[in-house]
Amino acid sequence: MLMLLLTLIALSDVNGQTFHLGSCPKPPVQNNFELSKYLGTWYEIEKLPASFEKGNCVQATYSLNEDATIKVLNQEVLPNGKTHSIVGTAVSRNLEEPAKLGVSFSFFQPYSPYWVLSTDYESHSLVYSCCNVLGIFYVDFAWILARTRTLPAENVTQLRDVFTSSNIDITKMTQTDQTNCPNFM
Ligand SMILES: *[C@@H]1O[C@H](CO)[C@@H](O)[C@H](O)[C@H]1NC(C)=O
C-alpha cells in the first residue's frame, strides 16, 4: 500500500495534480466494448492533469501480443525536442466489463486502471483512471483521445461533458499540442 502511495505521488508529480477527498467516481463504461476495433493508433487531444513539463504529439498505439495481452506503445516529443517512446502491456481481465482494462509500463508496477468510458472506435475515445488511496482520497487521470491529431472544438466540448456528467472533475484538463509532429516509426 505504501508502494502504491509512493507510486501515485511520483506519477502525479507536483504540477497541477489534484487529490480529491473521498473515493473514486464510478462512471459507466462503454457497453459491449470490442478490443479488436479499438486497436491501432490514438492521439491525445486533452489530458488530466496538466503538467508543465509535458510532451507534445502524444500518441498511443495498441496491438495484440502473442499471449493475447495488448502491447501499448506510447510516443511523444519531449520539451527538448527529442522523441521518446515507452512500451507497456494492457490486460482485460474483467469479462463482464471488457472496457475496464489495466495498463502497466513496468514489471514492477501494478496495473493501473484504464477504463474506456465511451468510444465509437473510429473517431474518439474517453479514458479514465482512478485509484483510491488509504480510503481517504483518490487520484485520477483522464484522456480525450482521437483517431486524428485534432478534433473540432464542438466535439471536444461534447466529450468533456461526458466526464462531467459522471462527476469527474476535469477543470484542470489541458490540451495537448499536436502541431508539427513527426511521423513516428
Ligand atoms: C464531431 O461531432 C459530430 C456530431 O456529433 C459527428 O458527426 C462528427 O463525426 C464528429 N467529428 C469527429 C472528427 O469526431
Side-chain angles (χ1 to χ4, degrees), residues 120 123-124 148 150-152 154-155 158-159:
D120 62 358
S123 58
H124 70 264
T148 45
T150 56
L151 279 183
E154 314 87 84
N155 294 54
Q158 274 183 3
L159 296 170

Side-chain angles (χ1 to χ4, degrees), residues 1-19:
M1 186 42 106
L2 180 61
M3 199 54 210
L4 173 65
L5 182 60
L6 293 176
T7 306
L8 285 171
I9 289 172
L11 271 179
S12 57
D13 214 351
V14 275
N15 301 323
Q17 181 57 50
T18 46
F19 291 82

Side-chain angles (χ1 to χ4, degrees), residues 31 38 82 111 143 151 158 177:
N31 274 326
Y38 194 76
K82 296 213 166 93
Y111 281 88
W143 294 267
L151 279 183
Q158 274 183 3
D177 183 358

Side-chain angles (χ1 to χ4, degrees), residues 70-81:
I70 303 150
K71 178 184 171 188
V72 181
L73 170 63
N74 280 359
Q75 295 169 296
E76 64 180 335
V77 176
L78 297 174
N80 65 11

Side-chain angles (χ1 to χ4, degrees), residues 86-123:
I86 180 170
V87 173
T89 305
V91 290
S92 172
R93 280 184 289 215
N94 187 333
L95 293 178
E96 304 210 328
E97 289 181 291
K100 294 185 177 177
L101 303 170
V103 176
S104 172
F105 287 96
S106 146
F107 180 74
F108 302 101
Q109 192 202 357
Y111 281 88
S112 310
Y114 179 112
W115 289 11
V116 180
L117 301 194
S118 173
T119 185
D120 62 358
Y121 306 97
E122 287 172 2
S123 58

